[in-house]
Amino acid sequence: EEPSAAPTETPSSVEHPDIRLAVLSGPTGIGAAKLLDSVDNSPADLAYGNYDYNIYTDNSELVSGLTKGEIDIATVASNVAVNLYNKTDGGGKIIAVGTLGVLHILEGGGGDTVHSIADLAGRTVYCAGQGANPEYILRYLLRETEMDAAEVKLVFADASEISAKLLSGEIQYAMPPVPAATAAIAKGEGKIRAAIDVTEAWDELGNGSQVVMTAVVARTEFVQTYPDLVDAFLADYEASIDFVNNNQDAAAEMIARLGITPSAAIAKQAIPQCHLAFISGTDMVSAISDYLLALYSIDPAAVGGSVPDAGIYYIP
């Protein structure tokens, strides 16, 4: 008897397309630098050599590309990943975590008065990231430190304005993002210091949750069609983060060449401040879900109105 028509192959064994990868400049993209460098210079080093990547400056561009099916995998802010999932009815899945916290509260004017969240009582803190991770994280830390919202005045501005005011001495306390914070410290010539590592302050709360500022998202359709490519990407991304953490001089050159930070010097200082970590699978689920619950407790809008169900996570 003749065998029936073509065997039932999975689509991924029929055709392996380029992985259309989108990376955000700044700390969100730092962990991917070695992967991108290998795409350009040594694709044979990768688990999967066919990537088509672009570097963007704004989360909204990535959300648009994912929603339209023009991007397969992207590094985005964690709350953006959740909003995407809620908005697209499950159209994207979180496949990994790449960056924990990248926030530091800086003290200018050569001062040495602030060493903990409690020390911020009675002070004004300029903050970038209104309506995004930075605002919610800071509000959570203030609440968990049992500080009344009125005790600390938060003023929101963009990173460049905050940096300029810190450098001129107009303001004393601020929370700009890395690498703007890194650059401000360097330009401050000893007058600006990193007073509080926000990730460490969160860990000191000891409530079991972690700051998870960056998530890697893949289109759900891509995950279902090409699970082997997702797994290959995860291997490449983990290797990239390991390389960046352990070869900071070489990685800083790559980061600057790619335009992820303004210079290699800033990249080198920024790498340890980013708390780069590769987390996937069930460890990722517990890390992110506890963090999202913390954000939700501050403002449900932080996560698009509801904490997502388990369907948001990809577990190989």
Side-chain angles (χ1 to χ4, degrees):
E1 178 182 300
E2 285 286 311
S4 57
T8 54
E9 292 185 281
T10 60
S12 52
S13 64
V14 177
E15 179 198 358
H16 282 75
D18 283 353
I19 298 174
R20 296 172 300 171
L21 175 63
V23 171
L24 208 55
S25 64
T28 307
I30 282 176
K34 175 65 169 121
L35 193 167
L36 304 185
D37 186 78
S38 294
V39 172
D40 292 342
N41 299 308
S42 53
D45 293 347
L46 297 164
Y48 185 74
N50 298 338
Y51 287 90
D52 174 13
Y53 76 80
N54 283 291
I55 298 170
Y56 296 87
T57 56
D58 194 272
N59 275 295
S60 61
E61 296 174 291
L62 302 187
V63 170
S64 172
L66 287 162
T67 307
K68 293 175 181 170
E70 296 164 358
I71 294 170
D72 300 319
I73 298 175
T75 64
V76 296
S78 51
N79 64 316
V80 171
V82 178
N83 284 315
L84 175 76
Y85 180 79
N86 287 335
K87 197 170 78 177
T88 59
D89 223 8
K93 287 185 181 290
I94 297 176
I95 61 173
V97 167
T99 315
L100 299 177
V102 300
L103 297 174
H104 294 73
I105 292 172
L106 308 186
E107 180 171 3
D112 190 16
T113 59
V114 165
H115 302 91
S116 69
I117 296 296
D119 292 340
L120 294 174
R123 305 181 197 275
T124 297
V125 180
Y126 276 70
C127 179
Q130 186 170 22
N133 270 317
E135 176 185 357
Y136 301 128
I137 290 168
L138 189 49
R139 291 197 187 282
Y140 181 78
L141 287 171
L142 292 172
R143 188 189 73 189
E144 294 300 300
T145 312
E146 298 183 350
M147 294 174 75
D148 187 281
E151 284 185 75
V152 180
K153 184 180 178 187
L154 300 184
V155 178
F156 293 95
D158 69 29
S160 58
E161 181 187 345
I162 291 172
S163 296
K165 287 184 171 176
L166 259 180
L167 287 163
S168 71
E170 187 179 334
I171 63 174
Q172 194 168 1
Y173 307 100
M175 193 174 78
V178 172
T182 320
I185 292 169
K187 288 179 192 161
E189 297 175 340
K191 293 274 179 66
I192 298 172
R193 69 181 187 92
I196 303 170
D197 181 325
V198 169
T199 305
E200 290 176 6
W202 186 295
D203 289 344
E204 284 163 13
L205 296 174
N207 61 15
S209 69
Q210 287 178 284
V211 175
V212 180
M213 289 195 67
T214 298
V216 184
V217 177
R219 283 188 303 110
T220 300
E221 184 186 6
F222 185 80
V223 172
Q224 291 168 343
T225 310
Y226 304 108
D228 55 334
L229 297 195
V230 174
D231 293 344
F233 164 80
L234 290 174
D236 288 336
Y237 188 56
E238 180 173 19
S240 184
I241 286 175
D242 286 346
F243 180 91
V244 173
N245 275 334
N246 295 311
N247 303 274
Q248 294 186 8
D249 287 343
E253 295 293 338
M254 294 174 182
I255 292 162
R257 181 185 69 76
L258 290 159
I260 293 171
T261 67
S263 72
I266 287 174
K268 190 179 175 186
Q269 290 175 305
I271 291 166
Q273 295 177 335
C274 287
H275 298 281
L276 296 177
F278 176 83
I279 310 174
S280 63
T282 51
D283 291 343
M284 168 189 76
V285 176
S286 56
I288 298 179
S289 57
D290 288 346
Y291 173 66
L292 296 178
L293 285 168
L295 292 194
Y296 181 84
S297 74
I298 290 296
D299 184 353
V303 290
S306 62
V307 175
D309 57 46
I312 194 173
Y313 303 110
Y314 168 70
I315 300 175

